[in-house]
Amino acid sequence: MKVGVVTFPGSLDDRDAARAVRECGGEAIALWHGDADLKGVDAVILPGGFSYGDYLRCGAIARFAPVMDALVPAARGGLPVLGICNGFQVLTESHLLPGALIRNDHRKFNCVDQRLVVENASTAWTSDYEAGQEITIVLKNGEGGFVADETTLDRLEGEGQVVVRYVSDDTGRNPNGSYRDIAGICNERGNIVGLMPHPEHAVEALYGPSLDGRGFFTSVIARTLESAVNA
């Protein structure tokens, strides 16, 4: 099972994402931002970092990269796509997911082990979890506050498109001011998922707070293999 990992100028976690894919049994395929095609991959990860230096807005330039010309229609056609941190920002800028990510409400950069609750365990990227399961993975961002208008937020809640939610601290606050504690969302079909925390940093013992991130990668590998068998 081939998972493409896109590298933009300024990507930081592309190698970590590729390693996570390999650790969980998949084959990682390097995709360059200037590639005109997706090299026949079965899924794609847009990794964390600062694509194109995060000039203008985070992800605003990356949405125009040549590789996105191939990725956007493929994602709308059902290709599993995971956007992590900056990758989530790219997905919202590309209108593959609704809402936007803005500066953390406390105006500081986060780098913490973050508790999350899995709200939707039926997406291509979360089927190895249980709904309501609590996991701990790494969160590191400066512009991670998820915002959307009330109509969009109600639709995300009502259609089960909130994938993971922050577990608030003792003061009742989440780490970046995200509306309704939303840490990650999906599209209606469930093949496109974006989240701010980093599951790729929680896949190996001694290299993160847990192994809780593995489920994102094992889920898509199992789902794709199952689809191939049933085809």
Side-chain angles (χ1 to χ4, degrees), residues 148-158 180:
D149 60 69
E150 288 297 312
T151 299
T152 298
L153 291 169
D154 288 343
R155 186 180 76 249
L156 291 172
E157 299 271 14
R180 304 192 188 181

Side-chain angles (χ1 to χ4, degrees), residues 57-76:
R57 295 183 308 277
C58 298
I61 298 177
R63 66 166 291 196
F64 296 107
V67 72
M68 297 301 292
D69 290 337
L71 178 61
V72 169
R76 288 177 174 158

